[in-house]
């Protein structure tokens, strides 16, 4: 007998070649490099006093990070700073050591360098923080001071870190984020924090970015500050004259003689409107990620039930049926509890980790798998023949759904590190994408079976913008829905997204079930009904 159940409590996509699992290895690599560096210092301590100071600082850092690497890396600031250290600071250190080479240290660096993040990885980590900033409406100061939900480590961004964040955005012509991060660098600088970057450089980037955001009065005020600090600055004088001339022209067009002085209020989140982008449902999608706009009414809740599911008296489920919970009524989305055991999860992750590569999507025109900026995760594909656990998981999916997995795609394992996401998309191919799955020869994706293989401290929900649902990861559970109506037409309501992971690490496994072989398991119908 089915009975009403309590739904899961609603809790309030980083680009990198490194998922969290591989970044954990980098933590130990960094620790090993610190040890190598300390041994080198012992040999030439008098000559390398500066290097020794640097090593001591890194030693303290790695002691904290190696105590619990996964928890440490769950903080997005730690993830970004690890990228930055290994790409920038260690390279600077290498140059210093090369002034008086030490075979032991340099050879150690050479061995590990092939696994180091590069400039693109550091840039991607910075973009991840900005993505989280936008999605969860976090101001730059929250990140700078490490004020994030669910964090276990204190991690701060220095003046120079904030400056580098702003410069990354500036170089991408992303003046909105450049303003936010240069302003944060200036705020911390004015508060007396130590810094290497000059105030003139910060004001230079900030004033021009503010101008690009259309705020001429404030751009003029900031440029005047820059001129006061460095009257011989290469661009400041020319920029100031140009801004003042432009403002004068605007005032004349508006028949105004005097411009109100620029506000002294500091720039913060909301001062400037975030530019629109290519995603029409951006606001709805990000709102759902924050837990806003979820359309779970009392009437809808009363139609949701829990039940024991035996797969239509499947022999493998009779003695131990699955616990099934309704997550949504229409389209019908269900969650299965205890769909994967802890040991199965660990085995799947063990098999997948060596193969993790940048996640791909199928090009709708060619059917070829390719990377896309709107999907930010690492993935691997596992065959049933590789290990009894994979075969068992595939069989369990077949038993639960009643659909054959013989024509399904391989089990896809995805790892979303901090900032990892998959923006709103359809799992099935639309009418204008007739060749999306042509090479598979198994028809369209009729259903999706999604296993959650980890809990996530903050963020990482699966959201459906069309009807306002948010489903949160819970380790060992799985959610299931149909992508196609019985008529074979796509259910456009099932457009969904994986929200960026704010704190933690998200592991999932996907099984996309195709049409071929389901003729007698899910017979066709003439109407578009669930």
């Amino acid at each position: 007998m089915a009975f009403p159940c309590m739904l899961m409590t609603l809790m309030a996509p980083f680009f990198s070649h490194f998922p969290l699992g591989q970044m954990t290895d980098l933590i130990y690599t960094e620790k090993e490099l610190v040890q190598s560096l300390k041994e080198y210092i012992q040999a030439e301590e008098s000559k390398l006093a500066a290097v020794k100071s640097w090593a001591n600082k890194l030693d303290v850092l790695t002691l904290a990070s190696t105590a619990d690497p996964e928890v440490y890396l769950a903080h997005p600031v730690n993830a970004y700073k690890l990228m930055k250290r290994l790409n920038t600071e260690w390279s600077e250190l290498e140059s210093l050591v090369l002034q008086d080479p030490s075979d032991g240290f340099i050879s150690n660096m050479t061995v590990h360098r092939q696994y180091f993040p590069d400039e693109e990885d550091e840039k991607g980590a910075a973009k991840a923080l900005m993505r989280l900033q936008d999605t969860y409406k976090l101001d730059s100061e929250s990140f700078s001071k490490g004020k994030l939900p669910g964090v276990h480590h204190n991690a701060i961004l220095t003046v120079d870190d904030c400056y580098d964040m702003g410069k990354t955005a500036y170089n991408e012509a992303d003046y909105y984020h450049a303003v936010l991060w240069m302003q944060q660098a200036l705020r911390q600088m004015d508060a007396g924090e130590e810094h290497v970057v000059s105030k003139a450089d910060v004001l230079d980037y900030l004033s021009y970015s503010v101008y690009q955001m259309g705020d001429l009065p404030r751009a003029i005020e900031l440029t005047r500050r820059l001129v006061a600090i460095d009257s011989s600055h290469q661009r400041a004088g020319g920029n100031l004259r140009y801004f003042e001339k432009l403002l004068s022209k605007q005032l004349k067009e508006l028949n105004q003689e005097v411009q109100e002085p620029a506000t002294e209020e500091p720039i913060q989140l909301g001062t400037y409107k975030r530019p629109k982008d290519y995603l029409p449902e951006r606001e709805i999608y990000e709102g759902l990620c924050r837990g806003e706009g979820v359309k779970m009414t009392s009437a809808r809740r009363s139609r949701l039930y829990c039940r024991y599911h035996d797969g239509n008296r499947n022999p493998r489920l009779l003695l131990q049926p699955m616990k099934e919970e309704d997550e949504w009524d229409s389209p019908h989305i269900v969650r299965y509890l205890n769909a994967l055991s802890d040991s199965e999860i660990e085995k799947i992750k063990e098999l997948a980790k060596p193969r993790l590569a940048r996640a791909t999507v199928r090009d709708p025109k060619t059917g070829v798998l390719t990377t896309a900026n709107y999907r930010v995760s690492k993935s691997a594909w596992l065959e049933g023949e590789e290990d009894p656990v994979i075969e068992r998981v595939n069989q369990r999916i077949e038993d639960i759904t009643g659909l054959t997995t013989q024509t399904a795609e391989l089990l896809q394992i995805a790892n979303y590190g901090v900032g990892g996401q998959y923006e709103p998309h359809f799992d099935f191919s639309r009418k204008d994408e007739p060749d999306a799955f042509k090479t598979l020869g198994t028809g369209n994706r009729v259903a999706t079976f999604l296993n959650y293989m980890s809990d996530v401290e903050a963020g990482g929900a699966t959201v459906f913008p069309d009807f306002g649902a948010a489903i949160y990861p819970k380790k060992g559970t799985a959610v299931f829905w149909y992508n196609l109506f019985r008529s074979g037409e796509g259910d456009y309501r099932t457009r969904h997204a994986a929200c960026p992971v704010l704190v933690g690490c998200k592991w999932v496994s996907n099984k996309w079930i195709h049409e071929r072989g389901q003729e007698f398991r899910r017979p066709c119908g003439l109407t578009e009904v669930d």
Side-chain angles (χ1 to χ4, degrees), residues 122-123 126-127 130 163-173:
E122 181 181 340
K123 183 170 69 175
K127 287 182 177 180
M130 298 174 205
Y163 171 78
D164 288 339
M165 288 283 294
K167 194 172 178 181
T168 295
Y170 183 92
N171 290 337
E172 296 285 312

Side-chain angles (χ1 to χ4, degrees), residues 42-43 60 161 172 192 197 319 351 373 409 464:
Q42 290 174 1
V60 171
D161 291 331
E172 296 285 312
V197 64
L319 294 180
L351 293 169
N373 289 333
E409 293 173 49
F464 295 78

Side-chain angles (χ1 to χ4, degrees), residues 452-484:
Y452 293 117
M453 303 199 301
S454 65
D455 294 314
V456 179
E457 286 90 333
T462 304
V463 298
F464 295 78
D466 185 80
F467 50 90
I471 299 174
Y472 285 85
K474 185 176 181 182
K475 186 178 181 180
T477 69
V479 292
F480 172 76
W481 67 86
Y482 282 103
N483 298 306
L484 305 180

Side-chain angles (χ1 to χ4, degrees), residues 142-248:
S142 294
F143 271 113
S144 179
K145 304 305 178 187
K147 299 174 183 177
L148 300 178
V151 299
H152 304 284
H153 282 265
N154 291 325
I156 64 171
L157 289 170
T158 65
V159 170
D160 297 287
D161 291 331
C162 293
Y163 171 78
D164 288 339
M165 288 283 294
K167 194 172 178 181
T168 295
Y170 183 92
N171 290 337
E172 296 285 312
D174 178 3
Y175 301 109
Y176 172 79
H177 288 106
V179 167
L180 293 176
W181 286 100
M182 288 299 175
Q183 173 65 35
Q184 182 60 30
L186 186 62
R187 182 183 292 117
Q188 293 178 212
M189 194 178 280
D190 288 342
E193 290 188 22
E194 293 183 3
H195 52 88
V196 175
V197 64
S198 70
K199 182 174 286 190
D201 283 342
V202 174
L203 286 169
D204 187 19
Y205 280 104
L206 180 58
S207 59
Y208 189 77
S209 297
V210 166
Y211 156 69
Q212 287 288 348
M213 293 305 296
D215 190 348
L216 271 173
R218 196 189 293 263
I220 290 171
E221 183 268 332
L222 289 167
T223 308
R224 284 173 177 166
R225 284 184 64 181
L226 172 56
V227 171
I229 291 174
D230 184 1
S231 59
S232 62
H233 191 278
Q234 184 179 1
R235 291 177 298 278
N239 283 352
L240 182 58
R241 288 189 294 274
Y242 175 73
F243 295 159
E244 289 175 336
K245 182 180 179 180
L246 202 56
L247 181 60
S248 176

Side-chain angles (χ1 to χ4, degrees), residues 13 135-136 285 288-289 416 420-422 459-463 497-501 506:
T135 303
Y136 299 106
Y285 154 56
L288 287 169
C289 291
Y416 296 82
Q421 66 167 4
Y422 193 175
T462 304
V463 298
C499 294
V501 174
K506 178 182 175 183

Side-chain angles (χ1 to χ4, degrees), residues 358-485:
R358 177 78 190 278
T360 56
V361 297
R362 198 170 293 278
D363 187 302
K365 295 181 179 179
T366 65
V368 176
L369 291 173
T370 183
T371 59
N373 289 333
Y374 56 83
R375 186 175 195 186
V376 184
S377 65
K378 306 285 279 189
S379 66
W381 301 80
L382 302 179
E383 297 189 46
E385 294 79 7
E386 295 182 49
D387 192 276
V389 167
I390 307 303
E391 186 62 44
R392 187 162 69 243
V393 169
N394 288 340
Q395 183 63 58
R396 186 177 301 141
I397 292 172
E398 184 166 316
D399 293 342
I400 291 171
T401 64
L403 302 173
T404 180
T405 58
Q406 295 301 308
T407 56
E409 293 173 49
L410 301 181
L411 190 68
Q412 187 206 51
I413 316 305
N415 176 210
Y416 296 82
V418 174
Q421 66 167 4
Y422 193 175
E423 290 180 347
H425 61 283
F426 298 101
D427 280 353
F428 64 91
S429 66
R430 275 73 67 209
K431 289 181 178 179
D432 59 345
E433 306 166 344
D435 296 332
F437 303 114
K438 186 176 181 179
T439 56
L440 299 180
T442 54
N444 211 340
R445 286 174 172 169
V446 68
T448 296
F449 196 96
L450 172 63
N451 287 297
Y452 293 117
M453 303 199 301
S454 65
D455 294 314
V456 179
E457 286 90 333
T462 304
V463 298
F464 295 78
D466 185 80
F467 50 90
I471 299 174
Y472 285 85
K474 185 176 181 182
K475 186 178 181 180
T477 69
V479 292
F480 172 76
W481 67 86
Y482 282 103
N483 298 306
L484 305 180
F485 292 108

